[in-house]
Every structure is written in structure tokens, then in C-alpha cells.
Amino acid sequence: MKNISFYKFLTLLLLIINFKVFAKDFIIQGNEFTDDEILISIIGNIPNTDEKTKSNYILKELNNSGLFKSVEVSYDQNNFYLKVVEFSSINKFIFVDNKRIKDDELNNIVTQLEIYTLSDRNINILIDELKKVYQSFGYNNIEIEYRTENFTNNSSDVYLNFVEGKLTKIKKINIIGNNNFDKNIILSKLKSKTKKISNIFANNNFKLYQIENDLIRIINFYKQLGYKDVKVNFSVEYFSNNKADITFIIDEGNKYYFSKLEIKNNLSSNNQLDANLKLFIEDNLFSINDNYNTAKINKLEIDISNILENAGIQYYQIETYEKISNYKADLLIEILPTKTIYLNQINLSGNTRTYDYVIRRELNISEGDPINNSKIKEIKRNLNRLAFLGNIDVNVSDAGENLQNIDIDIEEIQTGTFNVGLSVGTLDGASFVSGLKES
């Protein structure tokens, strides 16, 4: 009986693939442990093109499945000929000398990465991910090696041997380029710490993800105070005694100020709305000493959106323009009419570790709701607050008359938590997952 236990996730595809239609078109060799139906379901719907393009498509789909060491595809007038060499399936992982992280949590990572077959690529992906997790807790000298025990049914047990090493400690944090702020003010914004007599109980473990977040904290600190062009980098110097110095290099740039606010309403005449917008401008007149920052601009857009929606206006577009002269910014916020658009569906991609529902609950919008560019901006702002997400692209695509999809492409970052579906918060928020406590 063929061993296909680790291919269960593919069986749903069989519901939409009519095997009888394709069976006569394929002659398959080498699939001792993979059923023909499973293999054909991997191929899916072949594009209606020339035979060479079809052959290349089949080759690509089978290679991308990660199930085969090699794939050969040839064809004649009647058939495609597939010759495959299968990878071993993985029965289980056995972890050796992993003191810091428990077996259950390591198996959780294996499950999330969907490591089912014994390929060098899969094992290297797993080891790289495990190293990142260890490094996020300060174990920067972690080494992981593997060996296999192979069985006659083309399956294997995989042994992962851990040499965890010692925690890397932060010896010193240097700040360079802080011409307008005292070093201690900037250090107070950081989560990374050094031990001193005044803070002897500080946790000075070196964690790369935390240092990357500290870089963002420094940038946000400067931008909130008007330094819109600030740039920050960091370098790390490691020492043989398992300690490290961190240096943040800051290019502050010039300080900017708000100067003027104007709102141009291009919607149909509405005396009450015009009066509300006029009052809003009076309440938000900039003084010459107001620091420029994008958070304030975002809040202006949100507040104007609330005014419009409270007036019963759902279909509009807000565009913000700025004119900068001598480091002073004049703002023009233009309200434009737009056609009625409803949300068809939300498409998520790139979230390999984060559950869909974690992202969706931050969106404050559902299928069937009206959408406009202000809501799109709000979605991106909300997602940018999540510490475990990196770059985020939010775009819309047409889905029919008066319908659009929201397409969200996500780049996740290593946060030190295995199941970030349980870890939600802002950059300054605390994250916790059962079984993974910081020490």
C-alpha cells in the first residue's frame, strides 16, 4: 500500500480535478509511493497553449511541489511521459540537546513550515528558521546538524542535533550623529539595554530582531519631532567573550515645520458639511512652531473621513498635497467625488506564519462594505502597527462592475514567537506565546 500520509493536504485538490479526463494523457514512471491521482492533482489545470509550453508548465509544477528529487517530462502526439524520482517522506523529527526550546514548540515550527519530505532544501529552510528563533532569544552561536535514519518504505526519521552555545550579551550601545538630542534621551527609547550599576537587573541579551525594532523606534522618535528625512543604520561588533557592541548611526537631516492648512471640497454643495470643515480648519490651524510629522497628516485625513461619513457620505477620495519651502510645509487636503465601489473580497499573500484571521481583524472592513482610498490607507496604517509584519503592500484590483478586491502582500519578520497568530500588538506592545518565555 502506498504511503501517502504526508500528502493529505493535497487531497482537496482532487475535488476539482477530473482524473478521468487527464489519465489517458499521462504515462507516469517512478512514483512508487505517490499515487497517480496525487501527482496529477499537483499539476492542476494545464494552460491551453502549445505542447512545449505545457511540458514546461508540468515540469515546473512538479519541481515546485518539493516531492521529487528529479523530474523528466517528454511528450508525443498522444501522451505526456513523466519520469520522477521521489524524496523520502519524513516520519518524525527527533531533537537532541535542545535545552532552551521544547520539542513541542520545535514540532510546531516544523508543522507551520510544512516539512514533509527529506530534501536538502526543506531541511536547510527548517534549520535556518530554527536558528533565527534561537538568535531572537540571544543564542547567536547556535549550531544545528542533522542525520537521518532511512527505512525500506522510502521514509526517514530526521535527527536534529543542537549545540545551543551561550547567550550573547550587549556590552555597550553607541549613538553617533545625534547632534540635537542627548544620547541618554535616545537610549531611553530603546528596548535593548546594557547592565549598569543603576540598572543591574536589566536584561542585556543580544536579540537581532529587537535591535531592528530599536532602529524603527529611533526613526519614529525623530519623525515625530519634525525630522522627516532622518536616516538610521546600525552595526554590531562581536567579541570572543560572547559579548557585542551595538552602534546606531543617525543622519538627522533638517527639522521641518507645518505652516498652513487648506481643505478643498469638490463634493456637491452641502452647507452643513462646509460649516463642519470650516470649523475643523479653525481647530487645526498650524502655528509656525508645529513640528512636521506624517502621523499628524494621517490623523487629519482620518478626522476628515469621520466628518464625511457622519454626514452620510460614503463615496469620496481624499488626496493630500504638500508644498515645502525653507523647511516649512503647506498642506492642501482635497476631497474628491468617486464612483460607488464595494469590496468584493480580501486576498492575503505572504503570511506563511501569521493566521489570516489575525490580519483580517485589523482591517475594520468586510466583504460588501463600501471602500475608498481613505479606507485603504487606514488598512495599511493598522497593519503597520503589528510588530511581526515587515513590508506591507496594499493594492486594489477590479473585480467587476462597482466591485474591487483588496490585495494585501505581507512580509513577515522574525519576532521570537513561533505562532504569531497568538501574538498581537504594536511595536511597543508585549508578545507572549505559551512555552516561549523570555529569560
Side-chain angles (χ1 to χ4, degrees), residues 39-51:
L39 192 148
I40 293 173
S41 73
I42 294 170
I43 297 172
N45 294 316
I46 301 175
N48 186 20
T49 57
D50 61 273
E51 298 304 301

Side-chain angles (χ1 to χ4, degrees), residues 3 31 112 135 137 142 154 174 320 330 365 371 374:
N3 178 12
N31 56 322
Q112 291 186 45
Q135 288 165 358
F137 287 95
I142 177 70
N154 200 38
N174 302 305
T320 301
D330 293 343
I365 192 170
I371 59 172
S374 295

